[in-house]
Every structure is written in C-alpha cells, then in structure tokens.
Amino acid sequence: MLFSIIIPAFNAEKYLCDSLESVRAQTFTDYEIIIVNDGSTDKTRQIADSFAEKNSQTHVIHQKNEGLLLARRVGLQAASGKYAVFLDADDALCSTALRDIADVIHKYNVDIVSFRYSRQDNFLTSDSPSPLAVGLYDGNRFEEARLHFCKGRFNEMWGKAIKLSCFDRDADYSNYARLMHGEDLLQLLPVFDSAHSLYSLDKVLYFYRPNDSASTARYKSSQLSDIRKVNARLLSFAMQWGNACYQTACHGEVMQYINLLKIAVSYLSYASFGDVFRSIRKVMDDEGCLARAQQCQLRIDNSIIVFCLMHNFCYLAFLVLKIINCIKG
C-alpha cells in the first residue's frame, strides 16, 4: 500500500463528510484512511463509523481527547502505507492529489513530496507562503530544503507526503500533549533529520479552509509556552545540521515571537498588548533569543520590532505594528 491518509478529527461534523468525500474521489486508489476521532462530542463518531462501514479501506480509532499532536501520533502508529499524507477534518484534497504525488514517488523515490495549497476550494490559486522552488532536492542539495524548513514557513504536515520510515513513530510525545502552536514544526524536525531527499511539486493539491476560530487565530499565553518549547527543539536540531541551518533557525525563532505580537496587536487594546509585549520580551530574553536576534538579517519593520523589544519600547512597537496592519489591510 502506498499511502496512509491520516485524518485527526475533533468535533468535525460540519466538514468531515466533505473531507472524506475528497478522499473517496481520488483517481489513485492504493491507499488506506485512518480517522482518529479525538474525543468528539458531536456527530463526528457517527460520521466516521458510517463512512468506514461503506469503505473497507477506512479504519476508525476512537480515543479520549488528547489534542491534535497526539491524535496524529496515534494515526502514524496505526499506518501501514509507505507514505503518510495528513488531511485535517475540515480541509480537502484535489481529486488528482494522490495520483500526482504517486507519479513523483515512482519517478524519484524521494522521502518527501511537498505541494501547494489554496484557500479556495477550486484549487486554482496557491496561497503557499514562501514555497520552495520546484524540483528535486537530494544529495548535497537537500541542505537547501532543510534551510527552507528552518525559516519556519515550510512546516505544514498536511502540505507533504512523507515516507513513514522518516518518522520517529516510537518516540514518546506525551510531554507535548496539549501543544497547539508549532506542533507541525515539532513533528517535522525528526523527519527532516532522517530524510535525504525531497521533491517540491508545483501543483495545488490541498484546500485549506480558513478558520477564524482556530487555536492560533488569537493570542493565548499557551502559544508563548508552546513556541518556547518548539524553538528550543528547532535550534537543537538545526545546530546538528550545520551553521547555515542554525543561523536560519535563529531567524525563524525571532519571527515566531514577532508573529505572536502581530496576532496580539490585531485585536488587543494598548493596555492588554503591553502585558503580552512584556511576557514575550521576558521569554525571548530568558531563552537568549534577543541576543541572537541582533545577528539576524531581518526586514526593516521586523528589525524595528526587535529594537523595541531590546529596549522595552512597548508603545513604539504597538504603533509600528498597527501601522503595518493598516498598510496591509
């Protein structure tokens, strides 16, 4: 079997049928579906079980709520395909997705196939930020793929088909059970450590449904705690991959914290933003990130934010971020 399609589902009754139908409509049929019902309290269980009754290659696992990260780990441990493909329960695959990925695998036998995604369900336009240039990355060139990954904008698990043997499937992730921000990056670190080849496919194969209620759409203190854990692991792996990866990871680390400030400023008053600013500044200082940030080549607006963080200029950071939002808006 070539593919194991892993679908973690928590209270996903609204879109799960559409997601499953996008798999059933695939033009390539050498796959299994593993639905992990992560303690849902709506009709997710019934939808998953009903689909499995009609589609013999579907397996459903019911468990108490453990969070997305551990739900994916359970799916990985149950998988028997050569490659894992991740599909969130409110998203969908293009009908030719598995065929297009299989064609690349049969031609190049790579460890990872990456592809584009869209926020439109017609799959016509790509919304992939900073996509890796099209082509094969193997041998010494795989370093380019690792560098791109260390930037922190190439870390969606659902944007890749990954050889099952690249995962640390037996590793214990229980310490990260409730981690929500950066969990994709966390799980992809050992993948990029063990992989040796990647093909970047210039096709939009995944529909990512915009979700304003997503766990990362608004600032929460848990996001800061999550990022702290994930960045520590990122820097540890990157250091093993060489100085270029380490320096790039330091840049990615800084941007993770700046992005948290950008989330916070979009809806918080100045008084509430100040609390977030001080919390983020303290963590960055404690982790040595502020010192590392001085060596990073950042865009001018991000450099200003780092300057504000270093000198505790909260109001200036608030104004700059507000101006940036207005320009973008």
Side-chain angles (χ1 to χ4, degrees):
M1 184 183 301
L2 190 59
F3 295 114
S4 292
I5 304 171
I6 299 171
I7 307 177
F10 173 70
N11 289 349
E13 65 177 8
K14 188 173 181 180
Y15 298 114
L16 182 57
C17 287
D18 293 341
S19 184
L20 292 171
E21 283 302 312
S22 79
V23 179
R24 198 171 66 84
Q26 291 298 305
T27 59
F28 184 88
T29 58
D30 187 19
Y31 65 82
E32 66 174 353
I33 303 171
I34 301 172
I35 306 170
V36 182
N37 172 31
D38 189 36
S40 298
T41 56
D42 63 359
K43 295 180 181 178
T44 296
R45 171 188 281 268
Q46 295 93 310
I47 294 169
D49 287 342
S50 176
F51 185 87
E53 287 174 7
K54 301 169 187 174
N55 299 271
S56 59
Q57 74 273 49
T58 302
H59 316 285
V60 182
I61 300 170
H62 298 292
Q63 64 175 36
K64 67 178 183 179
N65 181 248
E66 297 281 0
L68 177 60
L69 188 152
L70 292 190
R72 282 177 170 167
R73 301 299 300 178
V74 168
L76 278 170
Q77 289 162 3
S80 56
K82 188 176 180 182
Y83 287 79
V85 174
F86 297 89
L87 175 61
D88 285 356
D90 54 352
D91 298 340
L93 291 172
C94 174
S95 61
T96 64
L98 297 185
R99 167 59 64 191
D100 291 332
I101 297 168
D103 287 346
V104 171
I105 290 170
H106 291 146
K107 185 173 182 179
Y108 298 106
N109 190 31
V110 288
D111 294 324
I112 305 169
V113 181
S114 67
F115 43 86
R116 310 288 191 255
Y117 73 89
S118 177
R119 289 183 171 87
Q120 305 296 322
D121 60 7
N122 56 16
F123 301 96
L124 294 179
T125 56
S126 172
D127 292 299
S128 307
S130 185
L132 187 63
V134 177
L136 176 65
Y137 296 80
D138 62 354
N140 291 333
R141 201 180 179 213
F142 186 67
E143 176 77 0
E144 294 179 42
R146 276 192 180 140
L147 280 169
H148 198 72
F149 171 67
C150 287
K151 290 178 183 177
R153 304 191 72 189
F154 187 56
N155 53 24
E156 305 90 358
M157 290 184 73
W158 42 257
K160 301 167 183 67
I162 302 168
K163 195 173 284 186
L164 207 61
S165 59
C166 290
F167 285 96
D168 55 343
R169 290 205 291 167
D170 296 328
D172 181 7
Y173 276 69
S174 57
N175 287 338
Y176 301 108
R178 294 297 167 185
L179 187 142
M180 293 295 294
H181 200 107
E183 66 95 10
D184 290 59
L185 174 59
L186 184 83
Q187 292 187 83
L188 284 171
L189 283 165
V191 168
F192 274 83
D193 189 52
S194 61
H196 299 284
S197 57
L198 177 148
Y199 191 91
S200 176
L201 186 60
D202 189 24
K203 289 187 177 182
V204 178
L205 304 182
Y206 193 97
F207 166 50
Y208 174 79
R209 191 182 302 276
N211 184 0
D212 291 336
S213 64
S215 62
T216 57
R218 284 178 171 262
Y219 176 82
K220 306 178 189 69
S221 58
S222 61
Q223 291 174 307
L224 182 55
S225 174
D226 289 351
I227 283 179
R228 187 174 193 168
K229 294 175 186 176
V230 173
N231 280 338
R233 201 168 191 224
L234 168 63
L235 293 176
S236 176
F237 272 93
M239 191 175 292
Q240 298 173 44
W241 298 338
N243 186 62
C245 282
Y246 180 73
Q247 294 302 323
T248 303
C250 289
H251 182 282
E253 173 195 28
V254 174
M255 288 309 304
Q256 289 275 6
Y257 291 114
I258 291 176
N259 288 337
L260 274 189
L261 287 172
K262 290 178 179 178
I263 291 172
V265 81
S266 64
Y267 69 93
L268 291 179
S269 66
Y270 172 67
S272 298
F273 175 83
D275 293 336
V276 174
F277 180 90
R278 286 184 286 274
S279 295
I280 291 175
R281 183 182 185 277
K282 183 178 188 309
V283 168
M284 291 180 72
D285 194 30
D286 289 347
E287 294 296 314
C289 179
L290 280 179
R292 289 188 289 272
Q294 299 177 63
Q295 308 303 319
C296 295
Q297 298 296 315
L298 299 169
R299 207 172 60 193
I300 182 63
D301 56 324
N302 295 322
S303 293
I304 293 171
I305 299 305
V306 168
F307 176 83
C308 292
L309 285 161
M310 289 176 59
H311 296 279
N312 205 16
F313 293 160
C314 179
Y315 187 63
L316 178 59
F318 183 78
L319 287 178
V320 171
L321 290 169
K322 280 290 187 184
I323 291 169
I324 292 169
N325 277 354
C326 288
I327 293 172
K328 288 183 176 179

